[in-house]
């Protein structure tokens, strides 16, 4: 059974940095596509960043481009999100997700393209 476990969330002041981690287990093969998503109360879940294999291709939402960096340790099945210059509007529950269908090419930042999800980690940015 595939399991994704996020860690690294917490509270930080605006302008600060935070690094999220996601440990993946239970795969019979590593997922080619993984991503980070976030959801605030009353809002739909949105794609933040996605990565293909070890990073040959990465995608970012416009609101985080230049501030967030997604990376992956393919051999250890770990996914990371380095978040710099955090803003209050970055406050949300952040989720790690993976596409577990071999050969499937998703629209990388669309949540409905992913079939494995973690439980989420809360990020709160205060002004």
């Amino acid at each position: 059974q595939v399991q994704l476990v996020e860690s690294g969330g917490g509270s930080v002041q605006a302008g600060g940095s935070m690094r999220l981690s996601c440990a993946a287990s239970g795969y019979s093969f590593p997922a080619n596509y993984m991503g980070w998503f976030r959801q605030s109360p009353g809002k739909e879940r949105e794609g933040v960043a996605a990565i293909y294999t070890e990073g040959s291709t990465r995608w970012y939402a416009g609101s985080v481009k230049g501030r967030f960096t997604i990376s992956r340790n393919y051999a250890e099945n770990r996914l990371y999100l380095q978040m710099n210059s955090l803003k209050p509007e970055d406050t949300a529950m952040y989720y790690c997700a993976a596409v577990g269908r071999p050969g499937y090419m998703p629209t990388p930042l669309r949540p409905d393209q992913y079939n494995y999800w973690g439980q989420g980690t809360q990020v709160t940015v205060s002004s």
Side-chain angles (χ1 to χ4, degrees), residues 15-59:
S17 298
M18 189 176 288
R19 189 191 196 208
L20 304 182
S21 298
C22 173
S25 62
Y27 287 124
S28 57
F29 54 88
N32 282 333
Y33 290 88
M34 294 191 73
W36 288 99
F37 297 79
R38 67 186 182 187
Q39 189 168 19
S40 304
K43 293 188 177 181
E44 291 189 355
R45 191 168 296 189
E46 63 173 351
V48 175
I51 190 168
Y52 176 68
T53 59
E54 293 191 80
S56 58
T57 311
R58 309 178 200 214
W59 299 264

Side-chain angles (χ1 to χ4, degrees), residues 58-114:
R58 309 178 200 214
W59 299 264
Y60 295 97
S63 59
V64 306
K65 192 172 287 187
R67 300 188 297 122
F68 290 12
T69 302
I70 188 170
S71 62
R72 183 174 180 182
N73 185 318
Y74 200 72
E76 295 186 2
N77 272 329
R78 283 193 169 266
L79 183 72
Y80 303 98
L81 185 68
Q82 178 66 43
M83 304 184 293
N84 298 329
S85 302
L86 282 160
K87 304 175 181 179
E89 50 264 44
D90 295 318
T91 295
M93 185 72 79
Y94 282 71
Y95 298 91
C96 169
V99 174
R101 289 167 280 188
Y104 181 71
M105 297 178 67
T107 303
L109 294 179
R110 275 183 51 179
D112 63 355
Q113 305 283 289
Y114 291 74

